[in-house]
Amino acid sequence: PCSEIILRQEVLKDGFHRDLLIKVKFGESIEDLQTCRLLVKHYIPTGLFVDPYELASLRERNITEAVMISENFNIEAPNYLSKESEVLIYARQDAQCIDCFQAFLPVHYRYHRPHSKDEETFIVVNNPHLLMYCDQGEYFKSFLRVEEQ
């Protein structure tokens, strides 16, 4: 187990089409992260969606390694008719930080029910599950669950 894991999620851009940047920094307990792969399992709330066709295009251009695992997914449905979806993303090691991984995921806002002028709609993006595999001579597999802080 790791002594410290720092997870930061940032929403980039404005409007209906945004990018979710996921950054993970590990403490000093893992000596050689070069042999490790980090898989991020993210649950996308009903107020957002990820376009599986866009993900396929980004994979082809080697921008991100992500795939939808939800079935019967409708990108046209408004938030009140949609379900939470799941996405798997392989995070890449950050070239500027030796103990860091990052992943990029384009997300889009769904249409919501109309409401009064002064009312705001909030969408909560929870922390993802992190799964790590390191090949360091012996098999080291670890399931990491990052809790809200």
Side-chain angles (χ1 to χ4, degrees), residues 7 26 28 47 55 64 67 77 83 92 121 125-126 128-129 143:
L7 170 69
F26 289 92
E28 300 173 7
L55 289 184
T64 193
V67 65
K83 296 184 248 178
R92 297 182 177 173
T121 300
V125 178
N126 291 317
H129 289 192
F143 175 74

Side-chain angles (χ1 to χ4, degrees), residues 90-105:
Y90 270 110
R92 297 182 177 173
Q93 287 191 308
D94 188 340
Q96 299 173 355
C97 173
I98 195 164
D99 299 329
C100 303
F101 287 81
Q102 66 180 10
F104 159 82
L105 185 67

Side-chain angles (χ1 to χ4, degrees), residues 35-136:
T35 66
C36 298
R37 295 276 294 175
L38 180 66
L39 181 67
V40 178
K41 183 177 183 182
H42 221 308
Y43 297 91
I44 307 301
T46 60
L48 299 174
F49 73 91
V50 174
D51 184 342
Y53 303 107
E54 183 179 17
L55 289 184
S57 174
L58 292 172
R59 274 193 316 272
E60 287 175 6
R61 295 184 313 204
N62 201 26
I63 295 173
T64 193
E65 289 183 77
V67 65
M68 294 286 304
I69 58 174
S70 297
E71 295 182 12
N72 303 323
F73 182 73
N74 183 355
I75 64 173
E76 301 292 331
N79 82 308
Y80 51 90
L81 295 176
S82 64
K83 296 184 248 178
E84 181 180 74
S85 57
E86 295 178 60
V87 181
L88 294 175
I89 315 145
Y90 270 110
R92 297 182 177 173
Q93 287 191 308
D94 188 340
Q96 299 173 355
C97 173
I98 195 164
D99 299 329
C100 303
F101 287 81
Q102 66 180 10
F104 159 82
L105 185 67
V107 293
H108 308 277
Y109 280 101
R110 289 188 181 275
Y111 290 109
H112 291 74
R113 289 189 191 274
H115 52 75
S116 69
K117 223 189 275 186
D118 298 334
E119 200 173 326
E120 293 182 359
T121 300
F122 293 96
I123 300 170
V124 177
V125 178
N126 291 317
N127 286 332
H129 289 192
L130 304 176
L131 296 104
M132 178 174 259
Y133 172 79
C134 296
D135 184 10
Q136 297 176 341

Side-chain angles (χ1 to χ4, degrees), residues 4-8 23-27 97 99-101:
E4 181 181 40
I5 300 170
I6 299 170
L7 170 69
R8 175 178 284 142
K23 295 181 177 184
V24 181
K25 180 172 177 28
F26 289 92
C97 173
D99 299 329
C100 303
F101 287 81

